[in-house]
Amino acid sequence: MTEVDRRVPDTRGKNSILGFGRQVLRVESSSVLIATILLVLVIGALRPNFLTIGQLRDVLNNSVYVALLAAGMAFLLAMREIDLSVGAMFGLSLITSALLMREGFNPWVACLAGIVLGAVLGLANALVVQHIAIPAFVATLATMQVYRGLAVALGDGQQVTGLPLEHSFFTVLGGDLLGLPVSVWILIAVTIGLTVLLRWTPFGYRVRSIGSNPDAAAFSGISIPRTRLYVLVLVGAVAGLAGVLGLAFFTSGDPNIGTGFELQAIAAAVIGGTPLRGGVATVVGAVFGAILLGVVSSGLVYFSIPANWSSFATGLVVLLAVGVDSALRSRRRARESMLGL
Amino acid sequence: MHALTARGITKSYGGVTALAGADLTLRPGSVHALLGENGAGKSTLIKVITGAVSPDAGALRLAGAEVSFTSTAQAAANGVAVVSQELNLFPDLDVLANLYPMREPRRGPLADRAAMLAKARPVLEQLGLDVDPKARLGSLSLAQRQLVEIAKALIVQPRVLILDEPTSALDKDSSSRLLDILRVLRDREVAVVFVSHILEEVMSLCDEITVLREGRTVLDARPRAELDIPSIVHAMLGQDLPTPVRTTGTPGGARLELRDVVVPDRLAGVTLSFAGGEVVGLAGLAGSGHTTALEVVAGIRRPVGGSVELPGGGAPRDFRSAIGAGVALVSGDRRRVGLMLDKPVWENIAQVRPVALAGARLLRTGALRESARELAGRVGVKPPNVDTRAGLLSGGNQQKVVLAKWLAADPAVLLLDDPTRGVDLGARAEIHALLRSVADAGKVVVLCSTDLDELVVACDRVVVFHKGKVCAELTGDRIDQHTILRTMNTGEL
């Protein structure tokens, strides 16, 4: 593990776990993290009520779903693909799970079914991409509608209510553990798992190879269709997981939930430092990007902005945050090139 | 009056000196060869002349008047045109649109296609480029695209025309046509700068020769008649190249067999046998089937008749199964299909064995770097730092990285297609030595090359293809450029 980054002299804390953690953060996502913290402090300075444990916890909890979708999206962007159906897969998994529970299935079984359904929807995306031979962007533009339409039809256009809220599914997944919501713990676990998968397995290297130069990847014996299939299934399963976590938190199924999440997930991944050109990606950055978006939307509530202007203001703050992030990033690049790296 | 003179041109990039007082003198109506190893400063000098970079010191005079170009557009407007090694063309546009980037003749706000065509016709005819101007550029062959690039430069009627390795993708027909074109340019009093690695070609095409070494001019505009190839090589390297050593295959080693292989329009029943321990060259004109034979062995193309037997037994089903069976394919097109230019050297070297061929497991970055360092050292990548991005390396070192990533997979059959295209002489010799060491380890090495000298220097045996058939197998003293060239053109020894 001495190899994380030996090019930049960092004498402080080289032997401590803290030092290692700092290095990992630096490699993965430092600038988006700094942008997020700055934003929290600015909002906190202007509206001190924002800086309470409860409020920050809520921000985290509300960001979990987009963060999970963004983590999966980072894999796709790394191989120059995009999945527009993640928000719809999230919604359809949530509704299906809720309906199964209402029909009397054990909620844990329904939960598992929701995750598996997500994976199957991802597989369907992959098969469409493969057999019609179109980019994932186009294929998922269509399946987004299909999945969303299914969710609305299955839910009959109405909220799915009357769920067994006292069941352990709701009390555990919707509850807390060691001071943090369980869903946040799950997000942390998924983030670590996906980071390991992307960075330290042959599969992760293949994904990034394909994004870096698809022709060279194919000429090295990497199967692009197979890798893409695995990634799309993975993204579906993660969307399914996000769906059942959402159900546990919201305790009812709204067929239109998650509309627009796909664009937020893409934005979060890009803000986090995963470029659209492919080849590199950071799961941690994508998750922080989603948290940044969450901070923006929760923070705006404190500024009594007229409802009709909130979308405008959100866009402006996102631009500002991305600007800070980009400035930090280019400063670091300049420093690196001065060192002749 | 000189067409263009450059005096004492100096340029350094962040402490690395690319040019240390280089001179260049071009006469109108003369074809001038600019030679030097990669890194000698040729491309920087050309960039200075064409306004792509501004020099730190030195003077540039065009027809006697001092100039300093701030952009390539300005240089082009003053009659300095370049045909570059990397084709700067738009594959999705048609031929005509490609001839006029940013300078279409207009009628009102619209491009005047009729005027474009009228101007392009004579140039295309002169070049012997017989294609429909409305054809999509992407549908043209590589050699035709290169001619389009040349046509694009000629349309502006340049006073100085720089041809940066124009023949690396041309077949012999087009090369001889280039000879005719150069004749036309001479008559028009254009000063032509010809950058090439193929010295035979330089000797047959050029009137004057300038050689750069380490950013300085070591031979300044010397008439060709005063020089021969050994003296030029000596000037380029400062030393002489070793003479080739030939061996024959070790009997009983690995064997690769092709039996009566048929591929429609490409191979008409080819039977070949390759033994481990020898380096076998495949020669032929473009489309004569020698590269198809490589593709068949690599599983990229399925023959409709005959059979292929890999050293491990069995035929390749597809490219991935061929790789699994120990076949490696090194392409000369390293930027497109060989490398991830934005990734460090170690990730490129890791791409085949630990990444493409491995199952699910954790990869330790440290271990990957360590083995990459070892391989990079073995093939002699310079600088030896495996954290360098591949895109920053010179062409020769990039090609060594491609070789290293395949050697990591320990292939039984090493196939190479023009592996030293655009590679300087020193690195080329090192790559040839590597091929020899791979062969000495009992592997089958098959080399396709458009560079005939490469076949002569690196191969123990040369198989010549003509119209889809093997027409000759040359060994020993019969391997010389003259024989290969004649055989691949006529089909007879």
Side-chain angles (χ1 to χ4, degrees), chain A residues 166-178:
Chain A
E166 68 293 340
H167 189 273
S168 62
F169 169 79
F170 289 98
T171 54
V172 171
L173 287 189
D176 281 3
L177 182 72
L178 302 174

Side-chain angles (χ1 to χ4, degrees), chain A residues 3 6-7 196 200-202 205-206 208-209 212-213 215-223 226 277-280, chain B residues 319-320 323 329 335-337 339-340 342-343 346 351 354-356 358-359 361-363 365-366 368-369 405-406:
Chain A
E3 298 290 340
R6 61 164 50 163
R7 289 165 295 170
V196 170
W200 287 294
T201 65
Y205 275 94
R206 278 174 217 160
R208 287 180 286 135
S209 275
S212 176
N213 183 348
D215 291 325
F219 255 78
S220 302
I222 293 169
S223 168
R226 191 180 303 174
R277 72 176 145 78
V280 287
Chain B
F319 184 49
R320 276 167 48 75
I323 292 175
L329 177 58
R335 299 181 74 85
R336 196 173 69 78
V337 301
L339 289 173
M340 301 181 285
D342 57 337
K343 299 272 186 203
W346 68 266
Q351 197 175 24
V355 170
R361 66 198 176 87
L362 287 185
L363 296 175
T365 315
L368 291 183
R369 275 202 174 121
K405 87 176 189 184
W406 284 108

Side-chain angles (χ1 to χ4, degrees), chain A residues 64-83:
Chain A
V64 164
Y65 317 107
V66 172
L68 282 170
L69 300 182
M73 195 65 79
F75 271 77
L76 277 165
L77 295 184
M79 59 181 295
R80 297 191 193 173
E81 298 278 10
I82 278 185
D83 185 340

Side-chain angles (χ1 to χ4, degrees), chain B residues 115-425:
Chain B
M116 285 162 74
L117 195 59
K119 261 175 85 180
R121 268 268 151 69
V123 177
L124 294 181
E125 260 165 36
Q126 233 170 22
L127 290 173
L129 182 58
D130 186 22
V131 294
D132 181 3
K134 287 199 274 298
R136 211 171 56 84
L137 187 95
S139 66
L140 269 54
S141 74
L142 189 57
Q144 286 174 323
R145 275 183 259 174
Q146 193 125 28
L147 287 174
V148 170
E149 182 85 45
I150 294 175
K152 186 171 98 181
L154 289 183
I155 275 179
V156 297
Q157 306 203 318
R159 284 190 282 175
V160 176
L161 177 65
I162 297 162
L163 301 173
D164 193 356
E165 299 202 40
T167 51
S168 56
L170 296 179
D171 57 39
K172 281 297 154 194
D173 269 4
S174 318
S175 288
S176 64
R177 206 170 294 132
L178 182 67
L179 199 67
D180 296 338
I181 296 158
L182 289 176
R183 231 163 260 146
V184 175
L185 290 171
R186 269 190 201 111
D187 295 344
R188 285 194 188 177
E189 292 288 290
V190 176
V192 180
V193 180
F194 194 85
V195 182
S196 174
H197 280 107
I198 307 168
L199 295 181
E200 295 267 318
E201 196 173 69
V202 167
M203 292 309 275
S204 68
L205 294 177
C206 298
D207 307 317
E208 288 170 333
I209 292 167
T210 290
V211 176
L212 296 182
R213 189 170 76 226
E214 291 164 3
R216 288 185 183 78
T217 301
V218 290
L219 286 184
D220 189 7
R222 293 272 292 277
R224 178 197 56 194
E226 292 179 9
L227 299 167
D228 57 9
I229 288 181
S231 64
I232 294 173
V233 169
H234 189 85
M236 288 169 71
L237 299 179
Q239 61 187 6
D240 294 315
L241 288 177
T243 47
V245 190
R246 298 191 209 288
T247 59
T248 50
T250 44
R255 287 198 88 77
L256 167 66
E257 307 273 357
L258 276 73
R259 289 187 205 90
D260 211 20
V261 170
V262 178
V263 173
D265 298 329
R266 291 288 176 187
L267 292 178
V270 165
T271 301
L272 279 173
S273 174
F274 303 93
E278 58 172 355
V279 179
V280 181
L282 304 186
L285 298 173
S288 66
H290 58 309
T291 49
T292 310
L294 274 198
E295 291 172 356
V296 166
V297 174
I300 295 172
R301 235 184 243 268
R302 294 291 296 274
V304 297
S307 65
V308 178
E309 196 183 324
L310 297 176
R317 285 190 316 281
D318 55 25
F319 184 49
R320 276 167 48 75
S321 84
I323 292 175
V327 175
L329 177 58
V330 174
S331 165
D333 199 351
R334 55 191 166 267
R335 299 181 74 85
R336 196 173 69 78
V337 301
L339 289 173
M340 301 181 285
L341 296 170
D342 57 337
K343 299 272 186 203
V345 167
W346 68 266
E347 271 201 65
N348 276 289
I349 292 182
Q351 197 175 24
V352 178
R353 193 182 54 84
V355 170
L357 301 182
R361 66 198 176 87
L362 287 185
L363 296 175
R364 280 198 46 239
T365 315
L368 291 183
R369 275 202 174 121
E370 197 44 59
S371 68
R373 208 167 283 144
E374 199 178 301
L375 277 157
R378 189 173 144 206
V379 301
V381 175
K382 279 172 245 130
N385 179 3
V386 293
D387 294 320
T388 315
R389 253 181 295 139
L392 296 177
L393 299 176
S394 71
N397 282 304
Q398 287 183 347
Q399 197 64 50
K400 287 183 202 162
V401 172
V402 176
L403 268 169
K405 87 176 189 184
W406 284 108
L407 294 183
D410 192 24
V413 177
L414 179 60
L415 308 174
L416 305 109
D417 184 11
D418 244 354
T420 60
R421 189 195 300 169
V423 167
D424 64 82
L425 284 176

Side-chain angles (χ1 to χ4, degrees), chain A residues 13 26 28 31 121-122 160 181 184 186 215 273:
Chain A
R26 204 188 63 74
E28 288 277 344
S31 52
L121 296 176
V160 180
V184 173
I186 291 176
D215 291 325

Side-chain angles (χ1 to χ4, degrees), chain A residues 8 11 13 15 35 58 62 98 117 130 143 148 153 176 185-186 209 220 230 241 243 250 290 320 322 341:
Chain A
V8 177
T11 46
N15 303 317
D58 281 356
N62 288 329
L117 175 68
Q130 199 52 38
T143 57
R148 179 63 66 193
D176 281 3
W185 286 115
I186 291 176
S209 275
S220 302
Y230 291 152
L241 173 67
F250 301 124
L320 194 72
V322 177
L341 296 172

